Amino acid sequence: VPVITPDPATSTVVVTAQAIVPTPFATFFGFKTMTVPVTSTVSFDAKDLEVGMSLDITGSMLDPASPTDMTSKINSLKAAFEKFATTLIPETQQVGRKVRLGVMPYAPSVNLGKYAAAASQGKSTDGCIVERTTLAYNDLTPNSGGAFYPNTKQFCPNSELMPLTDDRDALIKHVKTFNAKGGTAGHLGIQWAWNIIAEDYASFWGGSAAPSPYALTTGAKPQLVKAVIVMTDGQFNTSTWGPSSETQALAMCTQIKKKGVLVFTVGFGLGTSAAELQAKKMLQDCATPGAQYFADATNANQLNAALQSFAAVLGKLRVSQ
């Protein structure tokens, strides 16, 4: 039985086994075989990982995903997120490498907490903002791309954004506080999930939450994977300025993918009504092409499976042998 010893600090896996080999020249002495230790070392390059998640906390998330589910969709999301974060973020980070995750809950507006003043150039009074009307569909900070409008027309959720962190316990604890209410401004969730990992926002978030440059995701030996995950249980139906939420969302998804950022999407509890089918199509169009980037989860178990699948894809992309 081989002994397998991974060493995250040196990016190696050492496999030690015992091999039995014939000894034709030693049979005179009564030795027909000899046990020889065999050791093999495999090295791998582990990349950094930055993921921004857009999580639906609208009023419909209080409903069960299906008639057979006993819990609300919001509670199912919390449970699935806990498993996802535990899978994605290693208990012990590899020396010199970072796996970080940030979350943006959204309803009719998004709550940026202490970051709202900078995003709205001091005009937000409740911590919430909505879309900006100039230079939209980009990842430029408010200083270079125009301020985001303060929330004056929509309900302001009390569940706040959390920027990039490798503290999975803090992330799990934060998501467990989410509550659901209001309409679905999914484009705002996508915008700020993108901003969480956007290079231009390094000084906006600051410190350990600062995203790394896009350039690290390219080249012969990329050092970084960036991704956005979008989750919703319904059609994007709320916008404050500009075109529909769906139109704005798709425009942003197009620009996100042009930056080399992977986009994963999952619909949760979506049925077969015209609006729900449209929501599924929007999610598929938003996602990076490929079956592994979109999931249609009809119940809590499937939502958990979808997020675990996304974590597996990201894990494989992180490590190249």
Side-chain angles (χ1 to χ4, degrees):
V1 177
V3 177
I4 301 173
T5 308
D7 186 353
T10 59
S11 298
T12 60
V13 177
V14 179
V15 182
T16 303
Q18 301 291 326
I20 299 175
V21 297
T23 55
F25 297 106
T27 54
F28 179 79
F29 301 100
F31 300 106
K32 296 182 179 180
T33 61
M34 179 180 294
T35 301
V36 179
V38 179
T39 299
S40 178
T41 301
V42 178
S43 62
F44 58 89
D45 292 327
K47 305 174 184 66
D48 288 345
L49 179 62
E50 297 175 358
V51 180
M53 293 189 77
S54 171
L55 301 178
D56 190 332
I57 59 165
T58 59
S60 57
M61 289 290 289
L62 294 173
D63 301 328
S66 71
T68 59
D69 279 349
M70 301 300 294
T71 60
S72 65
K73 284 182 280 188
I74 190 70
N75 285 337
S76 296
L77 171 61
K78 293 175 183 180
F81 176 84
E82 180 172 1
K83 294 178 181 177
F84 172 77
T86 301
T87 300
L88 189 73
I89 302 176
E91 185 174 357
T92 302
Q93 293 275 8
Q94 179 184 341
V95 176
R97 289 300 182 197
K98 297 176 289 185
V99 177
R100 294 181 295 165
L101 173 64
V103 293
M104 180 70 262
Y106 67 89
S109 62
V110 288
N111 192 330
L112 302 189
K114 65 181 182 181
Y115 301 101
S120 65
Q121 295 184 351
K123 296 178 182 178
S124 175
T125 59
D126 57 6
C128 283
I129 55 97
V130 293
E131 66 267 32
R132 56 186 167 198
T133 59
T134 59
L135 296 175
Y137 319 137
N138 63 65
D139 59 348
L140 298 175
T141 62
N143 288 335
S144 54
F148 289 87
Y149 272 55
N151 178 47
T152 57
K153 298 182 179 181
Q154 307 290 354
F155 161 75
C156 177
N158 58 20
S159 302
E160 297 182 9
L161 167 147
M162 178 177 278
L164 287 176
T165 179
D166 61 4
D167 189 339
R168 67 185 191 189
D169 291 337
L171 282 161
I172 292 167
K173 182 178 179 180
H174 182 65
V175 170
K176 284 183 177 179
T177 66
F178 288 179
N179 50 50
K181 185 177 180 181
T184 311
H187 64 295
L188 296 178
I190 294 175
Q191 173 75 78
W192 284 94
W194 182 16
N195 292 347
I196 284 172
I197 63 167
E199 173 182 342
D200 201 43
Y201 276 76
S203 59
F204 184 90
W205 304 123
S208 61
S212 302
Y214 286 118
L216 296 178
T217 67
T218 62
K221 294 188 68 174
Q223 302 175 46
L224 172 67
V225 176
K226 286 180 181 277
V228 165
I229 297 177
V230 181
M231 172 267 155
T232 186
D233 78 328
Q235 188 176 29
F236 292 178
N237 58 19
T238 304
S239 61
T240 304
W241 309 106
S244 71
S245 179
E246 277 195 354
T247 298
Q248 295 192 56
L250 288 172
M252 275 184 283
C253 288
T254 297
Q255 297 305 316
I256 292 171
K257 289 179 283 190
K258 285 182 179 179
K259 293 281 190 175
V261 176
L262 299 172
V263 181
F264 297 80
T265 62
V266 54
F268 182 29
L270 293 172
T272 58
S273 69
E276 290 169 312
L277 292 175
Q278 177 62 28
K280 291 182 187 181
K281 183 180 185 306
M282 185 277 300
L283 290 172
Q284 288 177 304
D285 292 342
C286 175
T288 296
Q292 68 269 39
Y293 297 102
F294 166 72
D296 181 13
T298 61
N299 55 48
N301 288 336
Q302 290 182 9
L303 176 65
N304 179 63
L307 293 185
Q308 288 298 305
S309 175
F310 293 169
V313 172
L314 290 167
K316 289 178 182 177
L317 291 171
R318 275 199 70 227
V319 180
S320 58
Q321 186 169 322

